[in-house]
């Protein structure tokens, strides 16, 4: 779908509530390619986290703050989506993961898990979030825990809602890149669509 500001296109991974548009989502996860310099879309009352997935680097100037440069392997960067932000490529076009939540309604954290392959690597993941969106960017993984297991391949997503505090065991099938996006509804939001 086109960006809100018309400067590019994005692939929506998951949105809540289902079918929500850019003006009424509670939370949203998407992937986009940035091929040229320009402003990021502004979303009033929304918090955003960007993680670079591929390509060269991306410099962001968020409001009046000093520039921040994201590269592949950089930690996810969280900032308000309603503060004017300019982006500039520092190399080849980039692909990013963009997670947004409506402030005061939902909050999120983004965790990136990278597995190099070779020796078996198992990751024990504990979350207290009420919802978790697992998204496999590259490779494949098996995620097991209470209630069974699921296998995710490249670009697969798995949304688990209404979670009690939960432990999950992540087993990669070789080299893999996986994201866990924890989502919590703000207690006093009363948000319903």
């Amino acid at each position: 779908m086109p960006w809100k500001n018309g400067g590019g296109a994005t692939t929506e991974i998951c949105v809540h509530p289902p079918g929500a548009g850019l003006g009424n989502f509670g939370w949203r996860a998407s992937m986009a390619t940035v091929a040229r310099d320009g402003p990021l879309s502004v979303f009033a009352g929304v918090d955003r986290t960007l993680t670079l997935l591929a390509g060269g680097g991306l410099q962001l100037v968020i409001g009046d703050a000093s520039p921040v440069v994201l590269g592949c392997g950089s930690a996810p960067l969280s900032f308000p989506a309603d503060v004017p932000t300019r982006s500039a490529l520092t190399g080849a076009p980039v692909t990013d993961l963009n997670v947004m939540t409506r402030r005061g309604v939902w909050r999120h954290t983004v965790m990136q898990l990278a597995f190099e392959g070779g020796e078996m690597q198992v990751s024990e993941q504990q979350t207290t979030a009420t919802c978790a969106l697992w998204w496999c960017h590259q490779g494949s993984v098996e995620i097991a825990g209470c209630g069974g297991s699921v296998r995710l391949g490249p670009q697969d997503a798995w949304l688990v809602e209404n979670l009690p505090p939960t432990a999950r065991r992540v087993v990669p099938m070789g080299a893999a890149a996986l994201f866990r996006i924890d989502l919590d509804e703000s207690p006093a939001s009363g948000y319903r669509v």
Side-chain angles (χ1 to χ4, degrees), residues 113-125 134 136 138-145 149-153 168-178:
L113 303 169
F115 302 97
E116 299 299 323
E119 185 177 318
M120 177 60 74
Q121 300 173 29
V122 175
S123 177
E124 298 292 336
Q125 294 292 308
W134 298 84
C136 186
Q138 296 174 330
S140 62
V141 297
E142 183 173 287
I143 304 171
S149 66
V150 65
R151 183 173 284 192
L152 301 179
R168 301 270 178 198
R169 185 171 188 258
V170 178
V171 181
M173 311 292 139
L178 176 70

Side-chain angles (χ1 to χ4, degrees), residues 127-134 160-166 168 182-183:
T127 181
T128 59
T130 54
C131 298
L133 177 64
W134 298 84
V160 185
E161 299 179 280
N162 303 314
L163 282 174
T166 304
R168 301 270 178 198
D182 288 346
L183 299 149

Side-chain angles (χ1 to χ4, degrees), residues 71-122:
C72 291
S74 293
L77 177 68
S78 298
F79 57 98
D82 47 8
V83 173
T85 302
R86 292 206 47 83
S87 68
L89 296 168
T90 63
V94 300
T95 303
D96 64 45
L97 173 65
N98 182 27
V99 177
M100 296 189 289
T101 48
R102 195 147 314 273
R103 191 175 305 126
V105 180
W106 287 89
R107 44 186 199 275
H108 70 274
T109 57
V110 178
M111 175 181 280
Q112 183 174 9
L113 303 169
F115 302 97
E116 299 299 323
E119 185 177 318
M120 177 60 74
Q121 300 173 29
V122 175

